[in-house]
Amino acid sequence: MNDSEDDWLSVKPSEPLPSQCCGSGCKPCIYDVYQKELERWEEAKAKKDRSLLIRKKQQVAIFKLIHSSNSELTPEAFTAFIISSMDQLTEDTYQYKFELPGNSNLGLTLGQHIVLRGLVNGLEVQRAYTPISPVNAEGYFEVLIKYGELFMLASGTGLAPMIPILQYITEKEEDETFVTLVGCFRTFKNIYKKSFLQDQSRFWNIRTFYVLSQETYLLVLFFQEHSLENLPWSFRENTHIGRINENMIKSIMSTCRRQPFVLICGSVTFSEDMERCLKTIGLEKESYFIF
């Protein structure tokens, strides 16, 4: 088995973001679980033996069976469950039903919550939910998850009204609104609040894209060619060179989970162009707002 640094990093536990902790004083907290998983990973890496990761998980499973009675949960590790159904209750609210083996139950008391973990946008996400199924429900449990989605189109200083909206969403633990921000600037140097935007994009529900209309470099005397090579690597993947257009908006919007509500802010010309693009794509006037 390949023991390169990249291979070990690929199985290294991901540290939870501050927004992923419910702040309720859980025992253990998701940070406690992370610390134990990290120690397990460091031991396996030091001994170059990935089987230690597997054996530790088996030991936890045995502990769970011996000590948790009819419950399928253990506070020491995450357990995988199958989603048996997903029902859309409202425009942005879904009810998920998870299968439990046999007649087992979660073993929770009234008011207790569970932490769900999964991958969203390639990032590991952990959130706390209180099941809506009866405490004594056997063979299943259910949770409600509410999704909202915003699509921000900002040009230059048009980014300003988007910033407090982003802060409001990421600072509220219970807010699960997905946000896609497309910032349009002349060059990379013209992007302001870079650090803030990069920090925001670390949250599981925030994506940022950049469109640079005049970012060029001199290839040969008197010849210019667009390039991303001179940008910091952390910006390259989500940066486009050129002018934003209908096809670019449609392409990025197609990766949204549902039809988003669009916010537009920039110059008069920019706002008019964006509105024209949205109408061509098929969005109605009630689906967007121009600052």
Side-chain angles (χ1 to χ4, degrees), residues 141-175:
F141 68 93
E142 296 173 313
V143 296
L144 282 183
I145 300 179
K146 184 174 182 178
Y147 300 102
E149 190 129 11
L150 292 177
F151 194 92
M152 299 176 171
L153 293 168
S155 175
T157 55
L159 180 65
M162 310 299 182
I163 291 176
I165 298 175
L166 286 170
Q167 289 175 319
Y168 178 82
I169 291 172
T170 55
E171 288 175 0
K172 291 189 65 177
E173 296 174 355
E174 67 275 15
D175 198 321

Side-chain angles (χ1 to χ4, degrees), residues 174-234:
E174 67 275 15
D175 198 321
E176 296 179 341
T177 302
F178 288 95
V179 178
T180 299
L181 169 66
V182 182
C184 303
F185 305 89
R186 290 190 297 117
T187 67
F188 180 74
K189 291 182 179 180
N190 291 126
I191 302 176
Y192 68 96
K193 304 288 287 185
K194 290 188 186 74
S195 297
F196 169 80
L197 294 176
Q198 288 298 87
D199 287 342
Q200 292 294 297
S201 65
R202 292 185 65 244
F203 286 89
W204 66 278
N205 52 338
I206 308 294
R207 300 187 302 167
T208 54
F209 294 89
Y210 305 94
V211 182
L212 308 179
S213 60
Q214 298 179 21
E215 189 69 49
T216 60
Y217 79 106
L218 192 62
L219 178 62
V220 185
L221 187 62
F222 301 121
F223 289 88
Q224 289 185 327
E225 181 176 308
H226 297 302
S227 174
L228 297 174
E229 295 178 2
N230 56 337
L231 300 183
W233 68 267
S234 59

